[in-house]
Amino acid sequence: FDVRMMPEFNDINGGAYYQFWSLDGVVVVRSPSLGQKNLPCFGFDLIVPEYHVCILPDGTKGRVIGYQFLPRTEKDRPDKNQLPQKRLLSLTVAKKATGLYAHLNFLKWLLLGSSIVIVLISTAIAYLVAYTSLHPIRVFVRKIGSIREDNLGQRFASEDFPAELRPICVCLNDLFGRMEASFNREKQFNTDVAHELRTPLAGMQSMIEVCLSRSRDASEY
């Protein structure tokens, strides 16, 4: 097995490893980068390649794949007849994945930070939209709060408010109209009562003043 075309398997710091097992669990060959260490064996019951996360011999995090196969001999190989009989082999290949996991970690924090920023921006936009949408209601409430008994003649112009508030404007205008009429009737009643009481009270006051003008005996009083 010649790995000169793949230098990453020759260097102990290359970050790539492979290992072959025979059916009886004997290590057939391992990559020079492994030294005397072993990769995990996935067994001989694999139907499809199996992938895992693992800790590599150099202590870094990596990805490992297990695969079983029946090797084939090249037809034009000169020593073909001297090769052992075909046998099932298990192959494990591992590669350093620190760059991949660093990138994934960067993406994780990027997504987390982006999510936080998006939530904050969405909250600010929602607050701004709500504040802008509720502004007519605040104006409406302030105008209602400014109405007193001496300015019941004020009315709400429906065209100054959104369509949702216009029915309320109509109802309030009608309500304040009835209140103004009621207050006017009360004022008129008080005026009429004061006018009707003014004459008898003036007569009684004149009589009292005459009585107090000089002393009299009881029969005169």
Side-chain angles (χ1 to χ4, degrees), residues 73-75 77-85:
T73 306
E74 296 177 358
K75 294 181 180 180
R77 184 163 180 164
D79 57 346
K80 176 181 178 182
N81 295 329
Q82 283 76 38
L83 292 175
Q85 187 178 3

Side-chain angles (χ1 to χ4, degrees), residues 75-94:
K75 294 181 180 180
D76 56 350
R77 184 163 180 164
D79 57 346
K80 176 181 178 182
N81 295 329
Q82 283 76 38
L83 292 175
Q85 187 178 3
K86 291 183 179 180
R87 54 180 176 169
L88 189 67
L89 294 179
S90 176
L91 168 64
T92 300
V93 179

Side-chain angles (χ1 to χ4, degrees), residues 184-205:
N184 289 337
R185 287 194 300 269
E186 182 181 353
K187 289 180 181 179
Q188 186 61 42
F189 173 77
N190 291 335
T191 302
D192 293 342
V193 168
H195 177 72
E196 294 297 330
L197 291 178
R198 187 177 296 113
T199 301
L201 288 176
M204 294 175 65
Q205 184 178 6

Side-chain angles (χ1 to χ4, degrees), residues 152-170:
L152 287 174
Q154 290 192 35
R155 294 295 181 266
F156 296 90
S158 299
E159 60 274 7
D160 294 342
F161 297 96
E164 295 82 2
L165 296 178
R166 289 174 185 172
I168 302 177
C169 291
V170 174

Side-chain angles (χ1 to χ4, degrees), residues 4-20:
R4 285 176 296 181
M5 300 293 291
M6 296 175 286
E8 65 271 19
F9 289 108
N10 293 317
D11 186 1
I12 196 169
N13 297 317
Y17 312 88
Y18 66 80
Q19 190 168 355
F20 290 93

Side-chain angles (χ1 to χ4, degrees), residues 2 10-11 31-32 35 37 42 47 80 83 87 104-105 117 123-124 136 150 165 169:
D2 191 357
N10 293 317
D11 186 1
S31 64
K37 298 179 181 179
F42 288 83
I47 300 176
K80 176 181 178 182
L83 292 175
R87 54 180 176 169
L104 292 176
N105 192 52
V117 171
T123 303
D150 56 347
L165 296 178
C169 291

Side-chain angles (χ1 to χ4, degrees), residues 61-72:
K61 201 171 184 180
R63 296 280 292 175
V64 62
I65 176 174
Y67 178 65
Q68 66 180 26
F69 66 102
L70 192 65
R72 295 179 295 175

